[in-house]
Amino acid sequence: MTAHGTTAESPALLPGGPDRPLRAMFRERWFSALFMTDMWERFSFYGMQALLFLYATAPKAEGGLGLSDGTAGALFGLYISASFLAAMPGGWLGDRVLGTHRAMLTGALVIAAGHACMAVPATTAFYLGLMLVALGTGLLKPNLPVMFDQMNPGASSSQRQAAFSLFYMSVQVSALLGPLVTGALGERVDWHLGFGAAAVGMVFGVLQYLHGAPALRGTRTGPSRPLPPEAMRRLVRGAWAALALAVLLAAGALAAGGAALHPVLALCGLGSLAAPVWYFRRLLRGAELGVAERARVRGYLRVFAPSVLFWAMFGQLGSVFSLFAREHTDREIAGFTVPASWFQSAHPLFLLLLAPAFAWLWLRIGGRAGSARKFAAGLGCAAAGFAVLATGAWFAAEDGAVSPGWLLAAFLWVACGELVFGPVGLSTTAETAPEGHRGRMMGLFYLGAALGAGLGGQLSRLVGVLPLWTYLAGFAAAAAVTAVLLPAEKPSDARPATARI
């Protein structure tokens, strides 16, 4: 076994070594297989995200759930948090039980089933579908970058960051189209028809992955560290017991007329707070890691802590930003009212346009700027975006609806922040992960996002209490202060990178 997770019997499918041009990845079949799978997953994710808050706040007479803005924001934050939170067991299942290939395929199938449930015009089916989408995303998302890293061995830190940036860029094509398709169907025709479009997109993703799977045979198709037989039997028994308990609880809630939403949201919010503490303690106290590996995991806190704040801000894009688009943005263009959900396409559009520049930047600066400095820059971008929108909300409070430029500029700055926290965070996680723990370390990366999204969702309840500009300015100030206080680690390499895009 080599240090990069390939075997002598199964060489990497992308030859050429660390000096090959990164654009060569686009000509490889393995890249197109992963690209198309994640592309359709992003289509369904962003398409459903564009509708979720608007559907939840729409009156019941118009087919919505009739929730308040604060409760709908908490629900949206809970969904994002649950998607990231599920990445922790999803990464573990990829490492110990399923392997990356089967974990990704299972996750894609569960996501498709969840969107199909949400297409059914019934409240129970909607919440079931939301849960399935979150669980499927938790399986797919942490294992896909692990497979991507396995298929791209021998890369330096700057090359890996650039490769993840290019991959980020590629999948934004469908993320751009998702809100346009589902928003037009959901807002203009029927909410559940929009959710159904997301289901169709994910089915295409499953079919594409099955078609391209033979190109992925150079990676491990089984678990990197399989569970012993007795532990596997205990896991299966526990899984069946958990499923039976979930069915009983769901049946009891339905018999009682439905579970109260507010206690469920509060309970899940507490879970997202407790899970990171528990997971860190379990990982560091386990006998599987040596002294050096424990030190690497402890050092990962410099990635984890700022990520929480950024993803708390990211979790506002589909809720508070949608509220701003619906209530405070002038959406009339030549007599046509732009659907509020269409503004959700602005974020992936900016990611698509800017990702090549960020990929070039990571290669240019190489190791001269450490992860902490990059994260500080990412938080600064997010702070700028929220400050811009806070200013727009200030003018909207005085003059009513304001120009869409305020919202678009805010999306632009947050997209810049994500192009730091996404590729750099994934790359740093891949470098930090001890051998055999990559899936779980990716789960830990998404666990920080879960904690942030959960906190952001709970904080969004303040929208109904505070002026919107005050709420947004508070996030901007917190991000700016955190960026200034982030400690800078010693750069790993002062020489500029020589790799080519």
Side-chain angles (χ1 to χ4, degrees), residues 328-368:
H328 305 296
T329 302
D330 182 4
R331 296 184 281 121
E332 292 289 335
I333 300 178
F336 174 74
T337 302
V338 178
S341 57
W342 282 14
F343 284 93
Q344 291 295 314
S345 289
H347 185 70
L349 172 62
F350 291 133
L351 292 177
L352 179 64
L353 295 176
L354 295 173
F358 275 82
W360 172 86
L361 178 63
W362 302 144
L363 290 175
R364 183 68 178 172
I365 65 178
R368 289 176 291 177

Side-chain angles (χ1 to χ4, degrees), residues 99-186:
T100 53
H101 168 68
R102 283 180 288 180
M104 286 178 56
L105 179 59
T106 303
L109 289 170
V110 173
I111 292 172
H115 286 302
C117 287
M118 296 178 72
V120 177
T123 302
T124 302
F126 169 79
Y127 286 116
L128 174 62
L130 206 61
M131 180 183 69
L132 289 175
V133 171
L135 292 176
T137 303
L139 266 176
L140 178 67
K141 295 308 288 184
N143 287 289
L144 190 146
V146 171
M147 182 172 286
F148 183 87
D149 199 53
Q150 290 172 346
M151 299 300 296
N152 190 28
S156 66
S157 176
S158 58
Q159 285 178 315
R160 185 179 286 109
Q161 291 173 10
F164 276 123
S165 291
L166 289 176
F167 192 75
Y168 245 65
M169 174 195 71
S170 304
V171 300
Q172 300 310 319
V173 176
S174 62
L176 169 64
L177 297 176
L180 300 180
V181 175
T182 62
L185 293 173

